[in-house]
Amino acid sequence: MQNALYRYSYFLVGVLFLVMTFIVFGQNFSEPYIPWDDDRNIWKNYILTNGSSIDLFKEPIYGMYIPLTYSYWKFLLFIGDSSPDIFRFLNISLHFFNSILLLLITKVWVERYFNQKFKLDAICIFLILIFLFHPVQVEVVAWISGGRDLLSFFFAILAMIVMLKYPKQILLPSLLFVYLS
């Protein structure tokens, strides 16, 4: 019974984080993209709007070699009909998933290095809430071009989770996540 309640508490906290994240950051849906950076990187970027996907992997664009991010943006432009709303929705979603992954890495770290079963408690929830809603995070989530930072953090934290879970092995997934980040 207590084990089921323990798992249920993770689900409830996740739902609470999800709802709160969309309440706080969802206000950005009515905002247009930022003209001095988002248009140059996305809407007025010839390779994203008219070029081939292979061109994204050939050379840096505006001094940044981030082909995975540009591929992600090209896909969003295609499915979102050039609307900033799909970018904002996925930035908010990525930020939410990053907070859940941070919660998981905290769990793995505490169990591994302190030899204690991790319990979802108020301190952990408080720390994740700080990560979710700290003013520094607002810029990354609200700024459409900030999605590259969210993607990088996503893959980096996945690599850390795999490395913490299997510390004595060099695993292909962790190397792949490090490369993608």
Side-chain angles (χ1 to χ4, degrees), residues 144-181:
I144 292 172
S145 295
R148 67 177 165 250
D149 302 325
L150 294 166
L151 264 177
S152 179
F153 185 82
F154 179 76
F155 287 115
I157 204 90
L158 279 177
M160 290 171 63
I161 289 171
V162 172
M163 288 179 191
L164 277 172
K165 203 85 164 142
Y166 307 101
K168 302 213 189 279
Q169 304 167 1
I170 296 179
L171 296 173
L172 186 60
S174 62
L175 293 174
L176 178 66
F177 292 144
V178 167
Y179 177 74
L180 290 174
S181 71

Side-chain angles (χ1 to χ4, degrees), residues 34-46:
I34 299 172
W36 68 82
D37 211 10
D38 290 340
D39 64 347
R40 185 179 94 163
N41 282 319
I42 301 169
W43 282 273
K44 292 182 181 176
N45 184 330
Y46 180 78

Side-chain angles (χ1 to χ4, degrees), residues 82-133:
S82 298
S83 169
D85 291 341
I86 188 82
F87 289 85
R88 294 201 193 285
F89 176 79
L90 286 170
N91 275 7
I92 294 168
S93 300
L94 261 175
H95 185 55
F96 164 73
F97 287 122
N98 287 344
S99 70
I100 296 301
L101 289 175
L102 196 58
L103 179 64
L104 290 175
I105 202 167
T106 305
K107 178 185 184 316
V108 170
W109 185 70
V110 168
E111 287 177 357
R112 177 151 196 82
Y113 294 105
F114 293 105
N115 294 323
Q116 294 183 6
K117 204 65 172 149
F118 182 80
K119 292 183 181 167
L120 189 60
D121 60 2
I123 291 175
C124 182
I125 292 171
F126 178 71
L127 292 175
I128 299 301
L129 286 173
I130 288 174
F131 173 79
L132 267 173
F133 303 117

